[in-house]
Amino acid sequence: MPKVIKTKTEFEGRVLEEYVVVEGEGLSAWDAHVPLQFVGKKTTRVDGPERVTGKALYTFDVQLPGMLYGKILRSPHPHARIKSINTQRAEQLPGVRAVLSHQNTPKISFRRQTFLFDEVVRYVGDEVACVIADDEEIAQDALELIEVEYEILPFVLDPEEALQPWAPRLYPDGNLLGGQPELYQRGDIERGFAQADVIVERTFRTQCALHNCMEPHGSVALWEGDSLTVWDSTQHIFGVREGLARLLGLPLHRVRVIKKYMGGGFGSKNNLGKYTVIAALGAKMTGRPVKIVLDRHEENLATGNRPASVQHVKIGARRDGTLTALELKAIVTAGAYCLWPPSLGGPARELYACSNVKTEQYTVFTNTGPLSAFRAPGYVEGTFAVESLMDELAQELQMDPIELRLKNYTEIDQTTGRPYSTKGLREAYERGAKLFGWHEARTPPAALLSRRHAPKLRGVGMASQIWSGNGMPPAYALVKLNPDGTATVITGTQDIGTGTKTVLAQIAAEELGFPIEKIAIEIGDTQLGLYAPLSAGSMTVASVGPAVRVAAHEARQQLLDVAAQVLEVPRDSLTIADGLFRSPALQKPVAVHEVLKNLENFMIIGRGAREPNPEDVAVNTFGAQFAEVTVDVETGEVKVERIVAVHDSGRVINPLTLSSQIEGGIIQGLGYALYEQRVVDRNTGIVLNDNLENYKLPTALDIPEIVFEMIDRPDFRANNLGAKGVGEPPIIPTAAAIANAVANALGVRIYELPITREKILKALGKV
Amino acid sequence: MPKVIKTKTEFEGRVLEEYVVVEGEGLSAWDAHVPLQFVGKKTTRVDGPERVTGKALYTFDVQLPGMLYGKILRSPHPHARIKSINTQRAEQLPGVRAVLSHQNTPKISFRRQTFLFDEVVRYVGDEVACVIADDEEIAQDALELIEVEYEILPFVLDPEEALQPWAPRLYPDGNLLGGQPELYQRGDIERGFAQADVIVERTFRTQCALHNCMEPHGSVALWEGDSLTVWDSTQHIFGVREGLARLLGLPLHRVRVIKKYMGGGFGSKNNLGKYTVIAALGAKMTGRPVKIVLDRHEENLATGNRPASVQHVKIGARRDGTLTALELKAIVTAGAYCLWPPSLGGPARELYACSNVKTEQYTVFTNTGPLSAFRAPGYVEGTFAVESLMDELAQELQMDPIELRLKNYTEIDQTTGRPYSTKGLREAYERGAKLFGWHEARTPPAALLSRRHAPKLRGVGMASQIWSGNGMPPAYALVKLNPDGTATVITGTQDIGTGTKTVLAQIAAEELGFPIEKIAIEIGDTQLGLYAPLSAGSMTVASVGPAVRVAAHEARQQLLDVAAQVLEVPRDSLTIADGLFRSPALQKPVAVHEVLKNLENFMIIGRGAREPNPEDVAVNTFGAQFAEVTVDVETGEVKVERIVAVHDSGRVINPLTLSSQIEGGIIQGLGYALYEQRVVDRNTGIVLNDNLENYKLPTALDIPEIVFEMIDRPDFRANNLGAKGVGEPPIIPTAAAIANAVANALGVRIYELPITREKILKALGKV
């Protein structure tokens, strides 16, 4: 029986009542000494062959009879009011079926204070209208026939400028999200700094980064009567369902969202996109299915980005390294719309034992593309600032950076006072340092100056990582057993490219005692699947995996019940492994299908719910990364020679998919540290590199040697797997570790990402 | 906990062990006096709008990227051995991607003693090869380029001929299915006839009828890695899954069969078709999805038919009408393959109290298109014969036909000795007679002769119906509740056009207490749905409906648990109706979504299984039909003026979809009685009317006034709905009732269907 718990929480001075439903069986995680057959073993992707042979059907591949194609007209101005739209010429182009704009669509609220088709456009790329036509080419041609009369408005691109009272306003109530900064305080920050022997204080700047998932955003919408089906490249099918239902005034059972395969998502696919709602409206209007898939330019302009930030960080410490105060003030560029407000202060609040902490964040609207979640939102930026400054503090105190960190190590979550369920960060420092040869490699700062004129400078640096990653309820799964001893797992999660299906198959195989090839995983369908949360926040495995395990467990119990009766042996004597029943009472093992095949189509169906999270401990993930760089003093080129990473995300389910996550995260962190940066023309607000030619991503030649190890220790308080997420942790400390290594190489620090050749040469005094 | 019961049954002298799994909650059917809100109410189809506006996606509408089209080469000979197939010229036609035949495909066993691509063809239309091409036209053209060298074999078309020792053999072990007739005996048939005062004995002949569902058979096959997805127009998605897995050597969890909408199925879509397997092989071979949809000719040649029959029936009775013996010998034309052996002896064994009964059936292979199930297989044919002869017996005994039937009425299933759970046949006779005005309309036979020269003769007749229709386990369903108070029902059945989705929505709405528009029904997917039996045998509602009710009940229980906690009222005080919680403890009703919306995405999931059938009673459906005809003595034309039908199928769930079934069944029975007949050229074995032009179906002008009533009394022993099937009952007695009316009009009887003008004129001595 589901139990409802009413809790009261305080939020911004208001007392909020919240209901929590507690359900799910109390399975405990497999003991560390229990030998496991699938969990913890390198397992190739269950859907690898169809992915690499082009058979997998992505949203782009959906074809429907009579399907039309949509192309979106986007604003050429960073800020303007639409005075009129004349769609007549476009509508007359043969093959054009409809032109949608604010003139002929319902006024649908979208995001903060705005509408699906707004009469004000707020960045170059903002949605103005959409042509629905027989093919994409006609739609594209028709865009040029739409005549829009704009009233040009003053615009602002820089967040610091946008905070000025004289700045052009994007919204009537100003450019600051929420009207006030987001503030966090504990202890007494003034007293903390007063107690300090040493204070370091710097301003860090990070750039705007673009997601560039391999598969662009896109949707196909189909109406059947009053039921809407949408194929969508999304990280949250149930969220898209909820959003579509709300915006279009539909009940949830009439909205079906499907996402079978997906070519990556780093947070920009967390949200319902305008193109999805437009496709649904266009399909309704034309009476035919509509496909809208964004191209790379649109992808880079309109789907969200990692926001640029300015962070002013100040740390006070005693001579022995004990932190007395930590303050971080951040200004974050929301762009025109804030899709997913990040919290840059997280690492400052959580990484170290410190009684006096203050973080303050201004999230500021500007006439640029919208902010969205991007792999570890806020923590990548915040870690760069805090861990850079900790490095500087260590230098100031003439301490080893690891020593300084261990000095301020804590086993207690500083924000809640709860002990961590497990924390392997100390071990990560120690194992990482050993693997890297930290103590040997670390050149004393004094030695640096003499090398300043060497053609290449070498440096090493390290940084720490903290992140959540335990997932949460609600998440549900079913496990169906077929008469031939195969099983189908059904849940409503989505595999965004990380290998979710493979990991869930391992879990089900382990719990059932079936060979893994006998498991099929069905996900990505709101109508036929069960609720699962968004695939973000490193929480898919830790949210959905436990539900799958419970469902498999329930199916296994039923299977044992039935087998004991059919085989006429005591139930307690039976075990299942390799798809075989074994019992001392049996002469030889009996295959599962031998029992089930006689039972006609009797179908065992196990149901599982994610259990509640513990309330007495904090569950987090931790890690440390070490970087070695060489810097060419002539060209300013930084080459990352190697990265060593040691992470603690609890139990490792699949070392193979995990290695993709770790390596992918590090590589993305490296791109962020050295290359990636959206460039906006200051005079026009136009993005100059909304493409893969000019937006520089790391290529194979830029990839360093990557060595990583996992602590791989089950967290028994986290969930019934003992596993936590690993999607975000590896990107978090990379830029900081590289920046620290560059500082170590140069002897001077660069406070602004990306660390380009120009900045290096400037720091070296060469330009 | 599922309970396994081992039972022993005797079959053909062998003792068979059978395992039965007993599960499912013991919900009892709603009491007759309980007012119901949805069940029993006329309810328009929940998917009506999309069906009639062309939005519904049928198998034919499935489009996939790179999809190819298949066309099948069919034998021009009724019996031949393929000496060689030269596909070279076909393969060279631009756009042709593959040509499949026995030469390049695995030898896959299919049906009795044959193969998917056999080297012997056994009827005109038998599968020889298949071209897979870029479009249907190219594939069609390429068929003509395939050179097949046949060795012509002798053939046999007539089943009586085929039983002769000198007849050409279709199979090495002869032309008789099973090598011996199917025999049933009770009592002592000889002694029974010896006790008779009157014996009537006649030979009846029925024709071969074609299904002609609106949507032809067809499949689309898609491989993704080693997983096969097939969209199929089938009455049994789980059966197609099982067959594909078995024939292609795939595990069940790698085969997904989908059928969303379907344009009718009368039994010929019960089975896995060759085209489906060929599409799957072709897709594998070409690496691209393949669609094969049969055209009307293929549909009529190759997908099965209602077999022609010869029935010799003999009835003995005492002077008072008491039956003493009943014997039926039937010869049934299997055609080249027997897809679904019917039992023509059913009505003879079951309709009347009679201690001495013998039925014997010879199912005989001939070089014609295959036999398949067709709406009430065997019972339509058998009822025509038995109920015609009962009419003749009544005349012989100078009894009213109803009086004779009531004289031999039984409350005990004659084949098992079990009492019927309920039997409303007596009431059907009585209400039908009253509605029809039977006693007034029935002209005494003596009066007929004087009317022989009138331009039109009028006659009335009636007949009885018995059929199973209770359905059975296993069948499963899930009911998911969404946060907005809507619900999604998931099961693995298929709506073959009968309104299954509507009826299941009524059941779920009733049990949940939700408005019916808040229910979505998701069916037709083996991978995401739960097992349900084939949609045939009038058993869909009675098999799947109870599982849906249990699932809804379980969801309701959870919902009440949660609501009691959230609303802080005693659980027992709460009721749900109209989507509102009511309780004396509440000031006003609270909507379901008001409770659920605060629980985040907590999802209530109810699971239901069909309960076992009772073992101590027989559960059947019953009915009686009355026909009035006029016969034009000049042209021989029979016009059915009206049909009155009274049926007992337990509780009526939806009077509206039920009326479609009753009227559709009667119309199809009328076509069978008067018009429909496959014509095969005796010299070539070619079907001369494999189309809708020459195969005569009743049109709107042929439809009589149809008046029907249902007994509509819940059968509490049948299942938790009290409802039984209604798909087949209405077709069963129609031809018999019409034939009896024609005999009543003419004064002479026609023993062979269809009752054509030619046969009438012959009977009247006019030709």
Side-chain angles (χ1 to χ4, degrees):
Chain A
M1 170 177 146
K3 201 173 148 198
V4 181
I5 299 173
K6 198 190 281 184
T7 60
K8 286 189 168 70
T9 48
E10 219 184 283
F11 179 72
E12 295 182 354
R14 285 181 302 143
V15 175
L16 299 177
E17 272 194 358
E18 199 187 25
Y19 295 86
V20 180
V21 181
V22 178
E23 52 168 354
E25 265 187 60
L27 280 181
S28 58
W30 298 281
D31 274 342
H33 65 269
V34 172
L36 298 178
Q37 202 176 353
F38 301 106
V39 165
K41 301 295 156 60
K42 284 187 180 183
T43 309
T44 53
R45 295 197 183 218
V46 294
D47 55 359
E50 48 265 43
R51 281 183 182 270
V52 298
T53 55
K55 302 276 180 268
L57 294 180
Y58 293 76
T59 301
F60 179 82
D61 299 316
V62 173
Q63 288 187 8
L64 296 169
M67 191 169 74
L68 304 174
Y69 298 80
K71 276 284 174 194
I72 293 169
L73 182 71
R74 298 183 176 278
S75 169
H77 306 294
H79 203 188
R81 184 178 306 279
I82 298 169
K83 291 171 73 177
S84 70
I85 303 183
N86 187 343
T87 59
Q88 217 169 7
R89 284 179 59 217
E91 280 160 10
Q92 283 163 0
L93 187 71
V96 169
R97 302 288 170 172
V99 182
L100 284 71
S101 71
H102 76 267
Q103 295 177 165
N104 63 347
T105 55
K107 198 160 182 171
I108 295 174
S109 283
F110 211 89
R111 297 166 192 159
R112 184 178 180 273
Q113 306 176 358
T114 69
F115 300 96
L116 178 69
F117 286 115
D118 206 330
E119 290 177 60
V120 175
V121 286
R122 297 181 180 81
Y123 72 98
V124 176
D126 213 348
E127 289 82 355
V128 173
C130 178
V131 172
I132 312 287
D134 289 356
D135 63 38
E136 274 196 295
E137 292 67 29
I138 295 172
Q140 189 69 48
D141 288 350
L143 291 184
E144 290 170 29
L145 301 176
I146 299 175
E147 294 149 18
V148 187
E149 199 184 341
Y150 292 101
E151 175 195 342
I152 305 295
L153 301 175
F155 65 91
V156 59
L157 303 177
D158 181 87
E160 290 169 278
E161 217 172 280
L163 281 177
Q164 302 304 322
W166 55 81
R169 290 186 162 202
L170 276 85
Y171 299 101
D173 57 358
N175 295 335
L176 181 59
L177 177 73
Q180 55 184 15
E182 193 191 316
L183 188 67
Y184 169 87
Q185 290 193 78
R186 67 170 181 257
D188 182 334
I189 193 75
E190 302 304 328
R191 209 169 61 180
F193 282 116
Q195 290 164 354
D197 300 319
V198 180
I199 291 177
V200 285
E201 188 173 4
R202 293 288 180 189
T203 299
F204 297 86
R205 288 174 190 272
T206 64
Q207 76 279 36
C208 171
L210 301 175
H211 289 74
N212 278 308
C213 340
M214 280 195 291
E215 181 196 20
H217 291 58
S219 304
V220 180
L222 166 76
W223 289 90
E224 292 167 294
D226 57 355
S227 295
L228 172 66
T229 299
V230 167
W231 288 261
D232 194 23
S233 181
T234 176
Q235 296 177 237
H236 196 200
I237 53 170
F238 276 94
V240 171
R241 180 179 82 147
E242 187 279 323
L244 281 170
R246 186 166 33 80
L247 297 184
L248 299 175
L250 296 169
L252 292 169
H253 68 320
R254 299 280 181 236
V255 183
R256 179 177 187 177
V257 180
I258 298 174
K259 190 224 64 58
K260 210 169 165 192
Y261 292 94
M262 187 161 155
F266 303 106
S268 63
K269 293 178 181 171
N270 286 358
N271 305 85
L272 171 66
K274 280 192 175 180
Y275 53 92
T276 310
V277 186
I278 295 171
L281 285 179
K284 192 84 184 172
M285 203 176 276
T286 58
R288 288 166 61 173
V290 169
K291 181 191 280 187
I292 299 180
V293 176
L294 303 191
D295 64 22
R296 185 59 60 188
H297 299 282
E298 295 177 285
E299 185 74 14
N300 278 336
L301 289 178
T303 64
N305 53 59
R306 186 188 296 280
S309 76
V310 183
Q311 297 175 68
H312 188 80
V313 193
K314 184 175 172 187
I315 304 180
R318 297 192 200 279
R319 182 57 56 196
D320 68 354
T322 308
L323 301 190
T324 59
L326 210 167
E327 187 177 15
L328 182 142
K329 279 189 198 171
I331 296 175
V332 175
T333 316
Y337 310 103
C338 180
L339 307 186
W340 199 274
S343 182
L344 273 64
R349 295 189 291 267
E350 299 166 19
L351 260 178
Y352 299 108
C354 182
S355 307
N356 307 302
V357 175
K358 182 180 174 186
T359 66
E360 199 175 355
Q361 178 174 322
Y362 295 74
T363 307
V364 185
F365 292 106
T366 58
N367 293 110
T368 55
L371 170 170
S372 73
F374 193 153
R375 206 171 188 170
Y379 278 62
V380 171
E381 302 90 317
T383 299
F384 163 67
V386 170
E387 286 292 84
S388 288
L389 197 59
M390 283 293 280
D391 213 56
E392 207 160 318
L393 177 64
Q395 198 177 339
E396 186 78 26
L397 295 170
Q398 292 186 314
M399 284 176 82
D400 179 87
I402 296 177
E403 195 191 336
L404 174 64
R405 283 162 173 88
L406 287 174
K407 184 80 194 171
N408 295 288
Y409 198 80
T410 175
E411 295 286 356
I412 307 287
D413 174 18
Q414 297 290 298
T415 61
T416 62
R418 292 179 194 162
Y420 289 116
S421 52
T422 59
K423 179 171 178 177
L425 183 57
R426 182 185 299 273
E427 197 173 338
Y429 288 142
E430 287 164 0
R431 279 167 66 173
K434 198 169 168 195
L435 267 172
F436 187 81
W438 172 256
H439 298 292
E440 304 75 21
R442 179 131 182 110
T443 311
L448 276 173
L449 295 172
S450 66
R451 290 209 343 233
R452 176 90 52 105
H453 301 287
K456 289 215 179 175
L457 300 179
R458 200 190 60 85
V460 295
M462 58 78 64
S464 325
Q465 167 258 316
I466 187 168
W467 181 251
S468 51
N470 188 31
M472 52 178 152
Y476 303 91
L478 287 185
V479 171
K480 296 193 309 183
L481 303 191
N482 296 312
D484 67 350
T486 59
T488 306
V489 177
I490 302 175
T491 174
T493 189
Q494 44 277 309
D495 189 339
I496 63 173
T498 53
T500 303
K501 286 169 82 172
T502 308
V503 166
L504 297 184
Q506 291 175 275
I507 293 165
E510 192 71 55
E511 184 63 36
L512 288 170
F514 285 16
I516 193 166
E517 63 271 16
K518 295 206 181 252
I519 311 288
I521 305 289
E522 293 296 333
I523 59 175
D525 186 333
T526 58
Q527 196 70 345
L528 294 168
L530 306 185
Y531 183 83
L534 78 170
S535 289
S538 304
M539 70 182 189
T540 304
V541 168
S543 300
V544 183
V548 168
R549 189 175 167 220
V550 173
H553 180 78
E554 208 186 285
R556 180 192 173 95
Q557 296 308 312
Q558 292 181 53
L559 183 58
L560 287 169
D561 287 342
V562 167
Q565 296 172 66
V566 171
L567 300 174
E568 296 175 346
V569 297
R571 187 185 184 287
D572 293 345
S573 76
L574 279 171
T575 61
I576 320 175
D578 312 312
L580 299 170
F581 293 106
R582 289 186 178 83
S583 162
L586 290 171
Q587 292 194 327
K588 55 178 186 177
V590 177
V592 167
H593 69 87
E594 290 294 332
V595 167
L596 291 180
K597 74 177 183 189
N598 292 322
L599 304 176
E600 290 291 331
N601 282 293
F602 163 64
M603 184 171 257
I604 286 174
I605 302 154
R607 190 191 87 111
R610 168 63 153 82
E611 71 271 26
N613 277 330
E615 297 193 348
D616 57 336
V617 292
V619 180
N620 284 69
T621 61
F622 304 93
Q625 287 185 12
F626 299 78
E628 178 177 347
V629 300
T630 53
V631 182
D632 186 313
V633 296
E634 298 303 325
T635 64
E637 187 186 12
V638 176
K639 172 124 180 67
V640 180
E641 301 289 348
R642 58 193 180 106
I643 300 273
V644 167
V646 180
H647 288 271
D648 174 18
S649 287
R651 185 200 296 278
V652 173
I653 306 273
N654 186 353
L656 209 54
T657 51
L658 177 132
S659 75
S660 301
Q661 287 278 29
I662 300 283
E663 290 171 6
I666 289 170
I667 292 165
Q668 209 165 24
L670 183 150
Y672 183 67
L674 301 181
Y675 313 123
E676 300 185 41
Q677 179 167 28
R678 184 190 68 180
V679 180
V680 178
D681 182 81
R682 291 193 62 86
N683 298 316
T684 60
I686 291 172
V687 176
L688 299 174
N689 58 347
D690 57 344
N691 55 60
L692 287 170
E693 191 184 355
N694 299 319
Y695 184 89
K696 296 298 182 192
L697 289 166
T699 67
L701 291 178
D702 302 313
I703 311 305
E705 179 193 359
I706 296 173
V707 176
F708 79 88
E709 280 189 8
M710 299 301 293
I711 304 294
D712 196 5
R713 193 177 299 128
D715 184 336
F716 290 94
R717 300 302 311 281
N719 53 60
N720 71 34
L721 305 173
K724 293 176 284 195
V726 78
E728 276 142 318
I731 198 181
I732 292 174
T734 310
I738 291 171
N740 288 342
V742 170
N744 179 247
L746 301 184
V748 283
R749 183 168 295 273
I750 293 167
Y751 297 96
E752 188 176 339
L753 295 182
I755 302 171
T756 57
R757 296 183 184 191
E758 193 189 355
K759 289 174 193 160
I760 294 279
L761 294 176
K762 213 174 196 174
L764 289 171
K766 298 225 172 171
V767 290
Chain B
M1 170 177 149
K3 202 172 149 197
V4 181
I5 298 173
K6 198 190 281 183
T7 59
K8 286 190 169 69
T9 48
E10 220 184 282
F11 179 71
E12 293 182 355
R14 286 180 303 142
V15 175
L16 299 177
E17 272 194 357
E18 200 188 24
Y19 296 86
V20 180
V21 180
V22 179
E23 51 168 355
E25 266 187 59
L27 279 182
S28 58
W30 299 283
D31 273 342
H33 66 269
V34 172
L36 299 178
Q37 202 175 355
F38 302 106
V39 165
K41 301 295 156 60
K42 284 187 181 183
T43 309
T44 53
R45 296 197 181 216
V46 295
D47 55 358
E50 48 266 42
R51 282 182 183 269
V52 299
T53 54
K55 303 275 180 268
L57 295 179
Y58 292 76
T59 301
F60 180 80
D61 299 316
V62 173
Q63 288 186 9
L64 296 169
M67 190 171 72
L68 304 174
Y69 298 79
K71 275 284 173 194
I72 294 169
L73 182 70
R74 297 181 178 279
S75 168
H77 305 294
H79 203 190
R81 183 179 306 280
I82 298 168
K83 290 171 74 176
S84 69
I85 303 183
N86 187 343
T87 59
Q88 216 168 6
R89 285 179 58 215
E91 279 161 10
Q92 282 164 2
L93 187 72
V96 169
R97 302 290 170 172
V99 182
L100 284 71
S101 71
H102 75 267
Q103 294 176 164
N104 63 347
T105 55
K107 199 162 184 170
I108 294 174
S109 283
F110 211 87
R111 298 168 192 158
R112 183 177 181 272
Q113 306 175 0
T114 69
F115 301 97
L116 179 69
F117 286 115
D118 206 331
E119 289 177 60
V120 175
V121 286
R122 295 180 181 82
Y123 72 98
V124 176
D126 213 348
E127 289 82 355
V128 172
C130 178
V131 173
I132 311 286
D134 290 356
D135 62 40
E136 274 195 295
E137 292 66 31
I138 295 171
Q140 188 70 47
D141 288 350
L143 291 185
E144 292 169 31
L145 301 176
I146 300 175
E147 294 149 18
V148 187
E149 199 184 343
Y150 293 101
E151 175 196 343
I152 305 295
L153 301 175
F155 65 92
V156 59
L157 302 179
D158 181 86
E160 289 169 278
E161 219 172 280
L163 281 177
Q164 301 304 324
W166 55 81
R169 290 187 162 202
L170 275 84
Y171 299 100
D173 57 359
N175 295 336
L176 180 59
L177 177 72
Q180 56 184 20
E182 195 190 314
L183 188 67
Y184 169 86
Q185 291 193 79
R186 68 171 181 257
D188 182 335
I189 193 77
E190 300 306 327
R191 209 170 58 181
F193 282 117
Q195 290 164 354
D197 299 320
V198 181
I199 290 176
V200 286
E201 188 173 3
R202 294 288 179 189
T203 298
F204 296 85
R205 288 174 190 273
T206 65
Q207 77 279 37
C208 170
L210 302 174
H211 290 74
N212 277 308
C213 341
M214 281 197 288
E215 182 196 19
H217 292 58
S219 305
V220 179
L222 166 76
W223 288 90
E224 291 168 295
D226 56 356
S227 294
L228 173 65
T229 299
V230 168
W231 289 260
D232 194 23
S233 181
T234 176
Q235 294 177 238
H236 196 198
I237 54 171
F238 275 94
V240 171
R241 180 179 82 148
E242 186 279 325
L244 281 170
R246 187 166 31 80
L247 297 185
L248 299 176
L250 296 169
L252 291 170
H253 68 319
R254 298 281 181 236
V255 183
R256 179 178 188 176
V257 180
I258 299 174
K259 190 223 64 57
K260 210 168 167 193
Y261 292 95
M262 185 162 157
F266 302 105
S268 62
K269 293 177 182 172
N270 286 357
N271 304 86
L272 171 66
K274 280 192 174 180
Y275 53 92
T276 310
V277 186
I278 294 170
L281 285 179
K284 190 85 184 172
M285 204 176 276
T286 58
R288 288 165 62 173
V290 169
K291 181 192 282 188
I292 300 181
V293 175
L294 303 191
D295 64 23
R296 185 59 58 187
H297 298 282
E298 295 177 286
E299 185 74 13
N300 278 336
L301 289 178
T303 65
N305 53 58
R306 186 189 296 280
S309 76
V310 182
Q311 298 175 67
H312 188 80
V313 192
K314 185 176 173 186
I315 304 180
R318 295 192 201 279
R319 182 57 58 196
D320 68 353
T322 308
L323 300 190
T324 60
L326 210 168
E327 188 177 14
L328 182 142
K329 280 189 196 170
I331 296 175
V332 174
T333 316
Y337 310 103
C338 180
L339 307 185
W340 198 275
S343 182
L344 273 64
R349 295 191 291 267
E350 298 166 21
L351 261 178
Y352 298 109
C354 182
S355 307
N356 308 302
V357 175
K358 181 179 174 187
T359 67
E360 199 175 355
Q361 177 172 322
Y362 295 75
T363 307
V364 186
F365 292 106
T366 58
N367 292 111
T368 55
L371 171 169
S372 73
F374 194 152
R375 206 171 187 170
Y379 278 62
V380 170
E381 302 91 319
T383 299
F384 163 67
V386 169
E387 287 291 83
S388 289
L389 198 58
M390 283 294 280
D391 212 56
E392 206 161 319
L393 176 64
Q395 197 177 339
E396 186 78 27
L397 294 170
Q398 291 187 313
M399 284 177 82
D400 179 88
I402 296 178
E403 195 192 334
L404 175 64
R405 282 163 173 87
L406 287 175
K407 183 80 195 171
N408 296 287
Y409 198 79
T410 175
E411 296 284 358
I412 307 287
D413 174 17
Q414 297 290 300
T415 62
T416 62
R418 292 179 194 162
Y420 288 116
S421 53
T422 59
K423 179 171 177 177
L425 184 55
R426 182 185 299 272
E427 196 173 339
Y429 288 143
E430 287 164 0
R431 281 167 65 173
K434 198 169 167 194
L435 266 172
F436 187 80
W438 172 256
H439 298 293
E440 303 76 22
R442 180 133 182 109
T443 311
L448 276 173
L449 297 171
S450 67
R451 290 201 353 225
R452 179 99 36 112
H453 301 288
K456 288 217 177 172
L457 299 178
R458 200 190 62 86
V460 296
M462 58 79 63
S464 324
Q465 166 258 316
I466 188 167
W467 180 252
S468 52
N470 188 30
M472 52 179 153
Y476 303 90
L478 287 184
V479 171
K480 296 192 310 182
L481 303 191
N482 296 313
D484 66 350
T486 59
T488 307
V489 177
I490 302 174
T491 174
T493 189
Q494 45 277 309
D495 189 339
I496 63 173
T498 53
T500 303
K501 286 169 82 172
T502 309
V503 166
L504 297 183
Q506 290 175 274
I507 293 166
E510 191 71 56
E511 184 63 36
L512 287 170
F514 285 16
I516 193 166
E517 63 272 15
K518 295 207 182 247
I519 312 289
I521 305 289
E522 293 296 332
I523 58 175
D525 186 333
T526 58
Q527 197 69 344
L528 294 167
L530 307 184
Y531 183 82
L534 77 170
S535 290
S538 305
M539 70 182 190
T540 304
V541 168
S543 300
V544 184
V548 168
R549 188 174 168 219
V550 173
H553 181 79
E554 208 186 284
R556 180 192 173 93
Q557 296 308 313
Q558 292 180 52
L559 183 58
L560 287 170
D561 287 342
V562 167
Q565 296 172 64
V566 171
L567 300 174
E568 295 175 348
V569 296
R571 187 186 184 288
D572 293 344
S573 75
L574 279 170
T575 60
I576 319 175
D578 312 312
L580 299 170
F581 293 106
R582 290 187 177 84
S583 161
L586 290 171
Q587 291 195 326
K588 54 178 187 176
V590 177
V592 167
H593 70 88
E594 289 294 333
V595 166
L596 290 180
K597 73 176 185 190
N598 292 323
L599 305 176
E600 289 290 333
N601 282 293
F602 162 65
M603 183 172 258
I604 286 175
I605 302 154
R607 189 191 87 112
R610 168 63 153 83
E611 71 270 25
N613 277 329
E615 297 193 349
D616 56 337
V617 292
V619 180
N620 284 68
T621 60
F622 304 92
Q625 288 184 12
F626 298 77
E628 178 178 346
V629 301
T630 53
V631 183
D632 186 313
V633 295
E634 299 304 323
T635 64
E637 188 186 10
V638 175
K639 171 122 183 68
V640 180
E641 301 290 346
R642 58 192 181 107
I643 300 271
V644 167
V646 180
H647 287 272
D648 175 17
S649 287
R651 185 200 298 276
V652 173
I653 307 272
N654 187 353
L656 208 55
T657 52
L658 176 133
S659 74
S660 303
Q661 288 277 30
I662 300 283
E663 290 171 6
I666 289 170
I667 292 165
Q668 209 165 24
L670 183 150
Y672 183 66
L674 301 181
Y675 313 123
E676 300 186 40
Q677 179 167 27
R678 184 190 68 181
V679 180
V680 178
D681 182 81
R682 291 192 62 84
N683 297 316
T684 60
I686 291 172
V687 176
L688 299 175
N689 59 347
D690 58 342
N691 55 60
L692 287 171
E693 191 183 356
N694 299 318
Y695 183 90
K696 296 299 181 190
L697 289 165
T699 68
L701 293 178
D702 302 313
I703 310 305
E705 180 194 358
I706 297 174
V707 175
F708 79 87
E709 280 190 7
M710 299 300 293
I711 302 293
D712 196 5
R713 193 178 298 129
D715 184 335
F716 290 94
R717 299 302 311 281
N719 53 61
N720 70 34
L721 305 174
K724 292 176 283 196
V726 79
E728 276 141 320
I731 198 182
I732 292 174
T734 311
I738 291 173
N740 288 340
V742 170
N744 179 247
L746 302 183
V748 285
R749 182 168 296 275
I750 292 167
Y751 296 98
E752 188 176 341
L753 295 182
I755 302 172
T756 57
R757 297 183 183 191
E758 191 189 357
K759 288 175 194 160
I760 294 279
L761 294 175
K762 212 175 198 173
L764 291 171
K766 298 224 172 176
V767 289

